[in-house]
């Protein structure tokens, strides 16, 4: 098992990346609303990811078992609450096999190496399994907020 930040050399993997993203997004669609799902899908298209494999503002990480892509994590960066890495999405192709943990721990180590102040994420309050996993890995709750789609979310942070 290995994680890799996708680069322009990985263009060939992008269709699989989008396929995995859309499939897992469908699985968790009950936590969101139609508008949020539609907007998310229309943001992370094959073209968008291909054009952003060199981006300074977003990073696409893949989890591979052998050569097969079976997990993904999308990182963003901002300065809203310190110099932070934001986990925009983390998704495992097969659940409960350690893929999500591996991707998240790797993201935390990278953020530490890059001297970030914290790793933050927003998760639907309905996504109890994911929230429990973040808690287990050391994230603390920063409270709830309503996002731009009117959904009740919890902000969580891993502070160094
Ligand atoms: C959340 C997610 C990334 C976790 O990855 P994972 O590889 O399944 O998780 P791991 O195997 O590393 O860890 C297992 C833990 O994940 C949690 N978990 C979250 N969703 C789960 C699911 N559908 N099935 C099993 N465990 C799940 C459990 O708390 C479990 O803890 P436990 O082993 O103490 O019971 C993954 O379940 C997933 O892709 N879910 C759908 C997408 C999503 O909700 N992403 C988060 C919002 S961005």
């Amino acid at each position: 098992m290995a994680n890799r930040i996708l680069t322009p050399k990985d263009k060939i993997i992008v269709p699989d990346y989008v396929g995995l993203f859309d499939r897992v997004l469908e699985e968790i669609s009950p936590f969101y609303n139609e508008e949020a799902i539609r907007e998310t899908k229309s943001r992370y298209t094959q073209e968008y990811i291909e054009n952003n494999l060199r981006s300074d503002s977003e990073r696409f990480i893949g989890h591979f078992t052998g050569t097969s892509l079976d997990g993904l994590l999308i990182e963003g960066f901002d300065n809203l609450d310190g110099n932070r890495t934001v986990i925009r999405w983390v998704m495992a192709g097969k659940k409960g096999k350690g893929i999500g943990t591996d991707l998240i721990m790797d993201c935390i180590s990278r953020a530490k190496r890059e001297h970030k102040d914290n790793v933050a994420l927003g998760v639907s309050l309905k996504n109890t399994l994911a929230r429990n996993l973040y808690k287990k890995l050391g994230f603390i709750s920063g409270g709830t907020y309503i996002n731009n789609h009117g959904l009740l979310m919890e902000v969580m942070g891993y502070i160094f």
Side-chain angles (χ1 to χ4, degrees):
M1 299 202 305
N3 298 312
R4 187 165 87 238
I5 299 172
L6 302 194
T7 70
K9 284 186 190 150
D10 293 305
K11 252 190 181 177
I12 192 152
I13 291 161
V14 174
D16 281 355
Y17 203 89
V18 176
L20 178 63
F21 186 88
D22 286 351
R23 175 166 68 79
V24 178
L25 190 64
E26 278 307 324
E27 286 170 17
I28 53 172
S29 58
F31 302 148
Y32 300 95
N33 59 30
E34 258 179 49
E35 185 197 75
I37 297 289
R38 202 174 41 244
E39 198 176 285
T40 305
K41 272 194 179 167
S42 66
R43 169 160 191 184
Y44 292 112
T45 61
Q46 183 175 335
E47 192 189 11
Y48 176 84
I49 296 177
E50 283 176 358
N51 289 336
N52 283 279
L53 292 176
R54 232 191 265 276
S55 164
D56 287 333
S57 56
E58 231 167 355
R59 259 192 311 228
F60 299 90
I61 293 110
H63 181 279
F64 296 84
T65 300
T67 54
S68 156
L69 176 80
D70 55 9
L72 65 85
L73 185 144
I74 302 178
E75 283 178 356
F77 310 99
D78 68 34
N79 284 294
L80 280 184
D81 184 17
N83 176 19
R84 60 182 201 175
T85 295
V86 179
I87 297 179
R88 298 207 192 284
W89 292 96
V90 53
M91 295 178 172
K94 284 187 197 141
K95 310 294 183 286
K97 302 219 177 288
I99 297 172
T101 298
D102 200 29
L103 280 161
I104 296 163
M105 295 316 289
D106 179 51
C107 169
I108 291 170
S109 311
R110 193 166 37 251
K112 244 184 220 168
R113 279 200 305 277
E114 292 173 346
H115 308 294
K116 298 287 163 69
D117 298 313
N118 62 75
V119 176
L121 58 88
V123 56
S124 162
L125 212 64
K126 293 183 187 165
N127 198 347
T128 310
L129 284 171
R131 287 169 56 225
N132 286 345
L133 175 61
Y134 298 138
K135 269 185 218 141
K136 195 169 82 178
L137 296 180
F139 284 77
I140 53 167
S141 176
T144 57
Y145 67 100
I146 302 208
N147 76 3
N148 55 338
H149 298 293
L151 298 163
L152 189 54
M153 308 288 286
E154 181 174 29
V155 61
M156 299 185 90
Y158 186 103
I159 319 286
F160 297 129

